[in-house]
Amino acid sequence: MTTVHASAPGKFVILGEHAVVYGKPAIALAMDMRFSMRAHINDDFKINGAPANSYNMSPHMRYISELHGNTPISIYIEERIPSGSGLGSSAALSNAYSAAVRMLKHLPTDKESIAREAFQAEFNAQGRGSPMDTSASAQGGGIALNVPYKDEDFLWRIEKGDRAWDISKIDVPKMTFVIGNTGVKAPTGPLVEKVRKYKDSNTFARGIVDEIGTVTLEGMDAIKKNDRVKLGSLMTYDHKLLSILGVSCPQLNKLVEAALPYSYGAKLTGSGGGGCMVALTDKPEKVAEAISLHGGTPYIVKSGAPGVQVEVKTKHKH
Ligand code: MEV
């Protein structure tokens, strides 16, 4: 029996969430919080020793299993990422699960194949959405979507209907971010749907989505120049734009306000409605303290977390 170990990181978005769903630019970083698990082929699907059912087996896992002929697999989850927090927990799970199944079935486990499969799983489970979370988690480090790139930085292009995303890797200079979790759970699907409805029915909302794209391109330039003052102010402005789109909430606004006196800038990150905010800062302890004092859970982030990883752990006879 072969047991494999697979893991994938969560992510946070520096600029561009929601607008990226419509093919606008976005910038995301993998973070050093991982989903990890062991897996082996078994007689039945099991999760942490219990039979798999609709409560413990996510639609993402079911979709990936079906793609690979429904071979029953037992998994043991070792680390999790808080779900409904905008940190890409379902993307990390999909990547790790895809990597494990592929390795057990002797299929290629390159990042691109996994990123594509995980995006299909997310798309199937969430309706709309972009390949940002799944590609950031598969690749690791930092990625940009739909921004001008050098040939050697191009990773892959993902298309869905009339939308397309060109994904490239980016070098993010050493910057410190603090994530603040409101503790309010808000799944991505309904928030993406809310923005879609607003955008489809309102010219003003379409203008805001375009503006987020413009701000993200300026942010890309600021990252290249290591201009934290500029990047921070763009992040704070992006938070205002996202608030107009209706995806902030009082708890997020409170944590953003609390972080700003010690930060270059701060904004919600991910789908919003709750979940997390992120601040760019040189004073991470001060920001973390301010977030705690205002009821959030802080997390100081180092950039450069590795992407999806999978390896054979044990190989023994039945
Ligand atoms: C969620 O992390 C980011 C969104 O832009 C949705 C997506 O890109 O799929 C809100």
Side-chain angles (χ1 to χ4, degrees):
M1 182 181 77
T2 302
T3 299
V4 301
H5 184 266
S7 73
K11 67 90 198 37
F12 70 96
V13 188
I14 303 181
L15 287 167
E17 54 272 89
H18 284 292
V20 69
V21 171
Y22 309 99
K24 304 285 175 205
I27 307 162
L29 290 192
M31 57 190 282
D32 51 357
M33 211 187 245
R34 298 183 83 78
F35 176 89
S36 71
M37 61 177 216
R38 281 175 289 133
H40 64 267
I41 293 179
N42 205 347
D43 298 334
D44 287 307
F45 283 102
K46 285 199 170 153
I47 298 178
N48 294 344
N53 53 43
S54 52
Y55 293 105
N56 63 8
M57 188 166 181
S58 75
H60 308 74
M61 290 155 81
R62 226 169 258 289
Y63 179 88
I64 291 165
S65 293
E66 274 164 24
L67 277 185
H68 296 294
N70 259 328
T71 306
I73 284 171
S74 269
I75 68 165
Y76 290 88
I77 298 170
E78 293 176 344
E79 287 172 276
R80 287 178 194 270
I81 297 168
S83 63
S85 310
L87 299 178
S89 62
S90 65
L93 177 145
S94 302
N95 276 310
Y97 195 74
S98 161
V101 176
R102 293 177 81 85
M103 181 145 254
L104 288 168
K105 301 215 73 173
H106 309 289
L107 292 167
T109 56
D110 58 288
K111 288 174 173 177
E112 180 174 348
S113 304
I114 292 169
R116 286 185 184 282
E117 198 162 290
F119 171 57
Q120 279 303 123
E122 282 260 86
F123 195 87
N124 178 62
Q126 266 164 221
R128 252 178 117 82
S130 79
M132 171 170 61
D133 292 17
T134 38
S135 285
S137 173
Q139 174 64 21
I143 64 157
L145 295 89
N146 295 349
V147 304
Y149 52 82
K150 289 195 238 113
D151 282 353
E152 65 263 31
D153 292 333
F154 179 73
L155 291 171
W156 47 75
R157 178 184 176 87
I158 294 185
E159 293 177 17
K160 195 85 205 169
D162 57 354
R163 299 175 300 157
W165 298 268
D166 283 325
I167 299 164
S168 52
K169 58 177 183 231
I170 52 167
D171 283 333
V172 180
K174 282 227 171 315
M175 291 185 181
T176 311
F177 296 92
V178 182
I179 305 281
N181 194 343
T182 60
V184 179
K185 289 210 176 220
T188 304
L191 287 149
V192 169
E193 185 55 17
K194 182 177 177 181
V195 173
R196 187 192 62 75
K197 280 201 184 126
Y198 190 21
K199 181 187 152 294
D200 285 354
S201 64
N202 190 299
T203 324
F204 178 69
R206 285 196 287 279
I208 299 287
V209 167
D210 290 344
E211 178 80 359
I212 292 177
T214 309
V215 164
T216 304
L217 283 179
E218 285 176 39
M220 196 61 212
D221 203 46
I223 289 177
K224 279 190 191 137
K225 294 182 179 141
N226 198 6
D227 185 344
R228 275 169 276 191
V229 174
K230 177 80 183 161
L231 181 60
S233 75
L234 291 167
M235 288 169 66
T236 308
Y237 180 50
D238 191 31
H239 182 74
K240 289 183 198 152
L241 297 173
L242 289 164
S243 302
I244 297 170
L245 284 183
V247 295
S248 190
C249 69
Q251 291 89 337
L252 278 168
N253 293 342
K254 192 164 78 176
L255 297 189
V256 166
E257 283 286 336
L260 278 176
Y262 315 105
S263 306
Y264 294 107
K267 61 181 273 289
L268 70 85
T269 186
S271 37
C276 293
M277 47 72 69
V278 61
L280 173 62
T281 181
D282 283 340
K283 302 186 185 78
E285 276 77 26
K286 281 266 185 207
V287 174
E289 195 185 320
I291 287 171
S292 296
L293 279 173
H294 289 80
T297 307
Y299 186 72
I300 297 173
V301 176
K302 301 177 207 85
S303 46
V308 64
Q309 291 177 332
V310 60
E311 58 179 346
V312 172
K313 266 293 180 225
T314 50
K315 242 184 188 163
H316 42 84
K317 298 207 173 81
H318 281 284

